[in-house]
Amino acid sequence: MGEKMLMKGNEAIGEAAIRAGCRFYFGYPITPQSELTAYMAKKLLKMKDAAFVQAESEIAAISMVYGAAATGARAMTSSSGPGISLKQEGISYLACAELPCVIVNIQRGGPGLGSIQPGQADYFQATKGGGHGDYHLIVLAPSSVQELVDLTMDAFDLADKYTNPAMILGDGLIGQMMEAVEFKERKKIDLPDKEGWILTGCKGREKKYIVPFNLDPYEMEKINLKIQEKYKKIIEKEIRYEAINLDNADLIVVAYGTVARIVKTVIDNAKKEGINIGLIRPITLFPFPEKIIAETSEKINKVLVVEMSYGQMLEDVKLAANGKAEINFYGRAGGVVPTQFEILTEIKKYLT
Amino acid sequence: MKKVFGSPKSLTKVPFTYCPGCHHGIAHRLIAEVLDEFGVREKTVGVCPVGCSVFAYVFFDCDMICAAHGRAPAVATGMKRAKPDSIIFTYQGDGDLASIGTAEIVHTANRGENITVIFINNAIYGMTGGQMAPTTLIGQVTQTSPYGRDPKTMGYPIKVAEMLSTLKGVAYISRVALSKPAYILKAKKAIRKAFQSQIEGKGFSLVEILSTCPTNWGLSPIEANKWLEENMIPYYPLGEFKTPEEVS
Amino acid sequence: MLERIIISGFGGQGIMLMGRLLAYAGMLEGKNVAWMPSYGPEMRGGTANCTVLISSKEIGSPIVSHPKILIAMNQPSLDKFEPNVSENGLIILNDSLIEREVNRDDVSVIRIPADDIADKLGNSRAANMVVLGACVKKSKVVKMETIFKALEKTLAGRNQDLINLNKEALKQGAELVED
Ligand SMILES: Cc1ncc(C[n+]2csc(CCOP(=O)(O)OP(=O)(O)O)c2C)c(N)n1
Ligand code: SF4
Ligand SMILES: [Mg+2]
């Protein structure tokens, strides 16, 4: 077991990435994730066979990731709201070309320039594709600094395993917060060999190429079907969630990330008032934990979705519940974080 | 009786919220004085960038719009094309203009858009807490050049005024500073010429203003002025790089 | 046990370091801890504050609306947070920069002439440690020795004189309050 360290979320992501073998970081400053960019500068500029580049823009940064990933290297970029929007072009290319990489979004209030306080309104963008075309990222939603560390490492493995970009969807609160973290010894897992597709020069072999297009629609459809096949596998194998107190709950809250940890405090306080609240916290947002939501909502029938948005994950919860439960919603956005008191008041509305 | 200098009509009465010793405030005042002197306040629209001066809309008492980071010249193009008799200026930092917005500034200049650009070169990203800008000097320590800017991996500081003055569509470009009264007088003249060139329909004009960011340079206001004069001016020479006479 | 602390002052007073030391010490004592800063451009020249949570259980919400302990290093901080301190809570204030009385009568108040003591120690920037020393002694959120350890870890590699000065400031602050 490693030693416990007190680390800021943003810096913990950087350390986790480096420990996961990421040696190439391309980014552009933006609040509230700039400490991650600074951390990577501090570390990678001193390492051999590594690179840190402050790109001229987020559009350039994601394409630098595309380039580095094409050589087989573990590469990462990070940003928030406006910068993540600019990365969408490159993300769509990465998904189509089936290149692994990790993209970190420390969400802030939107839309537009928005605010720099925490938000969760990039859920649609993260989980439904975000750029043009039919594709998905593997989306992981940490709710503590320790989980930022663990999921960042997992993200690199998952990206390599499925040759697909993975996204860490955090927010300004966990990015800025310091908590104790431990960098645990991880067991080695078998990952597919990259030799088949990486571009390193064709000495002694046939040339290879990476081209995210095909002008023949039937061939382009085949590319689509291949990645769709992969998403099916991801949905089958990679769903993760945390479930608390689902038996005998009066109401189930579905929340992720920062909001979910606030809900944990609500659960404790509600218990003192004799109210039994359950929580389903999706850890993977794509693939989404539909089954547990379907089963639980059928049993308990009262569900409250809480988000720092005006109802984005709500749509996935409704789809999962498929009309079998009453689905209610509470959200604050623009950078406002809902308090435990507001959430409890909201819960009580549905219990009378 | 002491003579009281009134504040320009083109500024609101809201006190500047920039850090002590920051040049953004002086630059705002000079622009406002020029707008007053030309009597164009009521037909002017300013385009704020994303950077510390995103708050310029609070301080200028003319119509203002905030563009996405780096895109101010494109927004200005749209406005000027749609309403050619208006006076349009953008106000942009070095990250905004010379990093993320490089494509926009080059092509707006190259098209000779009849707008005025005020370019605040403070060799750093102020708003986001002190990262390297494209104009950061060699060896300068910032959050993203923690061991000093190394041209081998981070390139050289971009000389925007010189670079853009090679473009045919450009009418007027100069570089000025604000670190002492004599410089401020010259800066005011340059800003006048830039707006004059727009009023006369001569095409794209830009004034690059070397500015301080005491907060992120980690210097006092006085030290910052000194640092600017000793380090920035030698690399970024002051003067006019292109004047309307040269426009054929 | 769940300790909820807000520390507030102006930029440059070492507000963030005070919070980090408390959190670090909490961690060294085997507790769960969270530290959350205010962030963004409002920080420059303006006010800075941070929240510290120390708990024997998993920390849920890291947001503190009603602190049990408020450390106010200047007047605007007291104005802003005084009304939110929970009943029977504790307000520790920097008497050198705050003239007014505390309005609440349902909380304990300790006034520490932190800047004056720090000046006498020869470094006005140690005012934060004077107040922190008083806070730790009075509230016992962590042990004094652990704060010393946290200080040494956090400032590791810095000048030993600076560490000693900060320790002295912590001690002098602690001496001003009774157990
Ligand atoms: C697309 C996008 N990327 C990044 C940011 C974050 N950001 C805000 S201001 C800024 C840089 C400001 O620096 P500069 O343009 O030099 O202006 P200054 O603050 O120094 O005046 C950045 C990177 C953003 N708002 N939008
Ligand atoms: S951070 Fe720098 S550029 Fe921004 S207001 Fe302060 S001194 Fe000016
Ligand atoms: Mg700048």
Side-chain angles (χ1 to χ4, degrees), chain B residues 8 11 14-33 52-53 56 59-60 91 120 178 184 191 209 211-212 214:
Chain B
L11 281 185
V14 184
F16 293 129
T17 46
Y18 300 111
C19 306
C22 173
H23 286 178
H24 272 306
I26 309 175
H28 282 22
R29 173 178 266 274
L30 296 183
I31 296 165
E33 285 175 4
C52 283
S53 49
F59 307 121
F60 283 107
Y91 185 105
I120 305 293
L178 302 173
I184 295 179
I191 295 171
I209 304 181
S211 306
T212 54

Side-chain angles (χ1 to χ4, degrees), chain A residues 28 34 42 46 54 56 58, chain B residues 69 99-100 132 144 147:
Chain A
Y28 187 82
S34 291
K42 206 169 84 189
K46 288 264 177 196
Q54 180 178 318
E56 64 272 30
E58 292 86 348
Chain B
H69 194 24
S99 187
I100 195 167
M132 188 184 76
T144 47
Y147 313 109

Side-chain angles (χ1 to χ4, degrees), chain B residues 93-95 120 122 124-126:
Chain B
D94 40 29
I120 305 293
N122 58 9
I124 201 125
Y125 284 26

Side-chain angles (χ1 to χ4, degrees), chain C residues 36-170:
Chain C
M36 181 71 205
S38 58
Y39 63 90
E42 79 273 15
M43 302 262 305
R44 60 171 101 91
T47 59
N49 67 72
C50 66
T51 298
V52 179
L53 289 148
I54 304 177
S55 174
S56 46
K57 291 200 301 190
E58 180 186 344
I59 294 173
S61 173
I63 293 166
V64 170
S65 322
H66 301 288
K68 278 201 211 164
I69 302 172
L70 167 66
I71 297 180
M73 292 297 286
N74 64 359
Q75 175 97 29
S77 301
L78 182 65
D79 297 346
K80 183 168 177 197
F81 293 108
E82 178 186 347
N84 306 343
V85 177
S86 62
E87 232 174 273
N88 303 320
L90 171 64
I91 298 180
I92 302 171
L93 51 80
N94 181 4
D95 192 55
S96 308
L97 297 183
I98 301 176
E99 284 179 9
R100 79 164 170 86
E101 293 298 315
V102 170
N103 300 322
R104 300 271 300 267
D105 55 12
D106 57 349
V107 299
S108 326
V109 177
I110 299 179
R111 307 186 74 103
I112 305 289
D115 285 50
D116 302 314
I117 295 175
D119 282 341
K120 273 189 212 129
L121 279 170
N123 190 336
S124 59
R125 301 188 63 174
N128 58 346
M129 292 301 124
V130 177
V131 175
L132 187 64
C135 170
V136 168
K137 171 97 171 284
K138 177 74 186 175
S139 66
K140 303 191 174 58
V141 285
V142 290
K143 293 194 197 78
M144 205 64 188
E145 305 96 80
T146 332
I147 281 284
F148 288 151
K149 244 189 249 164
L151 183 76
E152 262 164 25
K153 290 251 183 191
T154 308
L155 298 185
R158 303 274 200 90
N159 172 333
Q160 190 60 40
D161 290 347
L162 183 77
I163 297 176
N164 292 342
L165 172 89
N166 279 314
K167 272 191 185 167
E168 187 53 34
L170 283 162

Side-chain angles (χ1 to χ4, degrees), chain A residues 57-314:
Chain A
S57 68
E58 292 86 348
I59 302 178
I62 190 74
S63 283
M64 291 173 187
V65 167
Y66 181 78
T71 71
R74 283 194 158 178
M76 178 164 97
T77 186
S78 63
S79 190
S80 184
I84 296 288
S85 291
L86 287 180
K87 289 187 199 293
Q88 295 306 327
E89 173 191 72
I91 294 175
S92 176
Y93 278 62
L94 280 149
C96 183
E98 295 193 76
L99 292 177
C101 70
V102 174
I103 302 148
V104 179
N105 181 0
I106 299 299
Q107 297 174 92
R108 59 190 224 173
L113 186 54
S115 78
I116 55 174
Q117 299 304 320
Q120 291 185 325
D122 303 348
Y123 178 93
F124 283 152
Q125 188 194 47
T127 59
K128 309 296 172 189
H132 57 285
D134 272 316
Y135 71 89
H136 286 286
L137 309 177
I138 299 165
V139 185
L140 306 171
S143 88
S144 67
V145 179
Q146 181 65 55
E147 216 177 27
L148 270 180
V149 165
D150 299 337
L151 292 183
T152 297
M153 294 183 164
D154 290 346
F156 280 100
D157 288 345
L158 287 167
D160 280 353
K161 182 167 168 193
Y162 294 100
T163 55
N164 199 67
M167 177 175 273
I168 298 290
L169 193 67
D171 65 61
L173 198 142
I174 30 176
Q176 291 294 323
M177 185 169 56
M178 273 187 165
E179 284 187 304
V181 291
E182 221 181 298
F183 293 88
K184 298 164 205 148
E185 231 10 276
R186 289 165 65 86
K187 56 174 193 294
K188 276 246 157 11
I189 56 165
D190 277 335
L191 290 169
D193 190 14
K194 294 182 174 180
E195 217 35 63
W197 53 265
I198 58 175
L199 305 183
T200 48
C202 68
K203 186 156 189 246
R205 62 159 167 80
E206 289 278 292
K207 65 167 267 199
K208 294 183 278 193
Y209 50 83
I210 292 174
V211 287
F213 80 98
N214 198 309
L215 295 186
D216 176 343
Y218 296 98
E219 289 304 315
M220 191 62 217
E221 187 183 42
K222 275 188 206 156
I223 293 176
N224 269 281
L225 289 172
K226 181 170 172 240
I227 60 177
Q228 290 300 323
E229 211 38 56
K230 190 167 77 177
Y231 301 145
K232 263 190 221 143
K233 239 183 251 158
I234 294 172
I235 291 169
E236 222 169 82
K237 295 215 167 99
E238 305 298 345
I239 289 176
R240 291 194 220 174
Y241 59 86
E242 181 187 19
I244 297 176
N245 216 14
L246 295 192
D247 304 322
N248 310 318
D250 304 316
L251 179 146
I252 297 290
V253 176
V254 185
Y256 72 94
T258 287
V259 176
R261 60 185 290 164
I262 298 172
V263 171
K264 286 184 183 172
T265 300
V266 175
I267 292 176
D268 286 348
N269 292 342
K271 216 173 268 161
K272 291 178 202 150
E273 299 186 29
I275 304 170
N276 227 337
I277 307 293
L279 170 69
I280 297 176
R281 174 174 78 89
I283 295 171
T284 51
L285 297 178
F286 183 88
F288 191 70
E290 279 185 14
K291 200 160 143 246
I292 181 75
I293 290 174
E295 288 166 6
T296 320
S297 55
E298 196 167 3
K299 262 191 291 181
I300 302 200
N301 206 18
K302 272 203 175 106
V303 176
L304 178 71
V305 179
V306 188
E307 293 177 68
M308 291 191 278
S309 83
Y310 291 113
Q312 300 197 8
M313 182 175 70
L314 172 67

